[in-house]
């Protein structure tokens, strides 16, 4: 299990290039941090465009951490729409079809 923020940030950059055409902002603070009552969240940052937090208590293994990261990256793409509605699930479907979950699901 890799709980390093650098490991997470590396996956953020890789996924952004591979599955979001590099369109998501580079200035995102990606880190493990406690998130009250939730496994992860994304919020506008003060210094960075966004802060993307994954709760280490829910990140049971590297696959779950990466699946959660992809979920939060969709929230950034659709920001400020934070709903898990049709647009959100279209994006998840697009990621699945593009192979983003190969080897981790
Ligand atoms: Zn969500």
């Amino acid at each position: 299990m890799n709980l390093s923020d650098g490991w997470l940030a590396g996956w953020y950059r890789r996924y952004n290039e591979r599955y979001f055409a590099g369109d998501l902002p580079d200035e995102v603070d990606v880190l493990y941090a406690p998130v009250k009552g939730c496994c992860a969240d994304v919020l506008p940052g003060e210094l960075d465009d966004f802060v993307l937090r994954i709760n280490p208590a829910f990140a049971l293994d590297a696959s779950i951490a990466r699946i959660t990261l992809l979920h939060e990256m969709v929230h950034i793409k659709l920001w400020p729409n934070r709903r898990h509605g049709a647009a959100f699930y279209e994006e998840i479907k697009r990621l699945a079809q593009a192979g983003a979950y190969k080897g981790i699901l």
Side-chain angles (χ1 to χ4, degrees):
M1 176 60 201
N2 197 326
L3 276 178
S4 120
D5 297 342
W7 179 86
L8 264 188
W11 279 107
Y12 177 90
R13 285 193 301 273
R14 239 166 277 147
Y15 283 152
N16 189 19
E17 288 305 316
R18 277 187 208 162
Y19 302 118
F20 296 91
D23 288 340
L24 302 191
D26 292 324
E27 299 302 312
V28 175
D29 191 12
V30 184
L31 73 162
Y32 287 104
V35 180
K36 206 174 178 200
C38 195
C39 62
D41 68 359
V42 59
L43 295 164
E46 283 176 30
L47 301 173
D48 299 292
D49 290 336
F50 289 97
V51 178
L52 190 166
R53 304 184 298 175
I54 293 184
N55 190 340
F58 287 80
L60 301 180
D61 62 28
S63 295
I64 292 173
R66 285 164 59 184
I67 291 164
T68 306
L69 178 63
L70 284 163
H71 178 112
E72 297 304 324
M73 289 178 77
V74 171
H75 281 307
I76 291 175
K77 178 172 179 177
L78 299 178
W79 196 267
N81 176 1
R82 301 170 75 168
R83 294 177 50 240
H84 298 125
F88 185 89
Y89 282 102
E90 273 307 309
E91 276 296 309
I92 297 293
K93 200 164 88 186
R94 183 186 67 77
L95 289 173
Q97 284 167 348
Y101 299 100
K102 269 205 184 96
I104 54 174
L105 267 184

